[in-house]
Amino acid sequence: MSLELLANNKVHGGWHKRYSHKSTVNNCTMTFAIFLPPGVDETTKAPVLYWLSGLTCTDENFMQKAAAFKTAAELGIILVAPDTSPRGEGVADDPDGSYDFGLGAGFYVNATEEPYKQHYQMYDYVCAELPALIDEHFPSNGKKAISGHSMGGHGALVLGLRNLGEYRSISAFAPITNPLNCPWGDKAFNGYLGKDRESWKAYDSCELLRHTPVDSCPPLLVSQGMSDTFLDSQLRPDRLVAAAEQAGVELCLEQHPGYDHSYFFITSFIDQHLRFHAKYLG
């Protein structure tokens, strides 16, 4: 699969690059960004941390705002940030133009409902198509971890828990933990997956965690700002804690007083998350 280079910037001794490519599963052109740490080449390969961004974001938000390059360069970790939805001519959007559905709001699911199922196959894209592309074109060593923020935190937890053994570790900032029971999830899942709430459970981290075998669960780190305006209405980390306790799975939930939902929060603790993943990526 061919790639078109969109941007190329040297940073902290490595390279930040943006690419577009034709996505088979999303039936459109997709964009992703990658950071290649210094010293990584075909003979010196590195592990990959996949970052999934939140509502309204693109591949650019994390790369430009998270201040992750210096520590990723030090640790020798490749960073990959895909877009948050399919885009382009013919890709269906929210008919009301809302920020929380359609473009920029793919929720990392495989849509089954018209007209979204033609393009919105973000689960398969992040789980299979994009990693295959990264492994084909870049010096990855096959070791993967996954992280994300808000909607992307939801995506990171779901992909990690549904693909046990694929990711060495999982982390999330302010994730939507229980989309079956929050306004964002209710709107997105109704639109993408239809009225059968039983099918929604495959994309709910609380439901998945309750049935995760203790000896198969990768290390889990969740960071939550306690001044997050979405904490009680949309995020509900307490429900994720309850699900982990029910399954007997160890979950590290760090609650940070004063921090909100923004990238000011992420940039304050991204180094901790990178070092957490580095322990398991080797």
Side-chain angles (χ1 to χ4, degrees):
M1 187 179 296
S2 62
L3 300 177
E4 179 182 354
L5 181 65
L6 304 176
N8 190 28
N9 306 98
K10 191 165 187 178
V11 55
H12 286 292
W15 290 94
H16 163 264
K17 300 172 182 281
R18 295 184 74 224
Y19 291 93
S20 65
H21 70 98
K22 176 64 177 177
S23 168
T24 301
V25 297
N26 283 328
N27 192 29
C28 67
T29 297
M30 292 294 294
T31 301
F32 70 89
I34 186 168
F35 171 70
L36 299 168
V40 173
D41 54 34
E42 287 303 319
T43 59
T44 307
K45 299 185 177 185
V48 180
L49 174 64
Y50 288 87
W51 173 271
L52 308 183
S53 290
L55 290 166
T56 76
C57 291
T58 68
D59 62 281
E60 295 181 284
N61 295 73
F62 174 76
M63 292 297 191
Q64 294 183 7
K65 294 182 178 181
F69 297 136
K70 183 177 181 180
T71 299
E74 173 194 334
L75 297 173
I77 297 175
I78 296 171
L79 304 176
V80 173
D83 201 349
T84 54
S85 78
R87 299 179 195 265
E89 185 177 354
V91 176
D93 195 5
D94 188 325
D96 298 325
S98 299
Y99 76 94
D100 54 359
F101 186 75
L103 300 184
F107 268 83
Y108 306 102
V109 303
N110 285 340
T112 57
E113 299 299 298
E114 296 286 0
Y116 304 101
K117 69 179 183 180
Q118 315 303 327
H119 298 285
Y120 286 78
Q121 303 295 312
M122 288 298 293
Y123 177 88
D124 281 351
Y125 178 71
V126 176
C127 182
E129 187 176 46
L130 182 60
L133 192 68
I134 297 301
D135 289 344
E136 177 184 356
H137 291 276
F138 301 99
S140 62
N141 65 9
K143 297 177 181 179
K144 298 185 296 183
I146 193 164
S147 185
H149 171 230
S150 194
M151 177 186 73
H154 141 77
L157 290 168
V158 167
L159 266 84
L161 294 173
R162 282 185 59 172
N163 298 277
L164 299 174
E166 282 294 310
Y167 300 95
R168 301 294 182 95
S169 49
I170 306 168
S171 77
F173 288 83
I176 304 169
T177 67
N178 188 205
L180 268 75
N181 297 295
C182 79
W184 279 339
D186 187 70
K187 179 178 181 178
F189 286 9
N190 262 296
Y192 293 136
L193 305 175
K195 302 299 183 183
D196 179 13
R197 293 180 64 89
E198 192 66 26
S199 69
W200 298 9
K201 292 181 179 180
Y203 298 104
D204 186 287
S205 56
C206 288
E207 291 290 334
L208 294 169
L209 194 54
R210 288 190 189 98
H211 301 96
T212 298
V214 174
D215 56 355
S216 300
C217 189
L220 296 167
L221 170 64
V222 174
S223 294
Q224 177 63 59
M226 300 311 292
S227 292
D228 192 320
T229 55
F230 302 113
L231 179 59
D232 295 326
S233 60
Q234 304 280 12
L235 308 178
R236 298 304 301 267
D238 56 306
R239 293 176 181 170
L240 193 68
V241 170
E245 290 176 349
Q246 182 178 336
V249 168
E250 184 176 350
L251 166 68
C252 179
L253 171 65
E254 297 198 340
Q255 301 176 87
H256 299 283
Y259 287 91
D260 59 17
H261 199 69
S262 71
Y263 266 84
F264 293 110
F265 171 48
I266 295 170
T267 193
S268 298
F269 298 100
I270 190 63
D271 287 356
Q272 178 198 9
H273 279 241
L274 289 170
R275 295 188 190 283
F276 163 78
H277 290 295
K279 289 191 300 183
Y280 304 103
L281 289 169

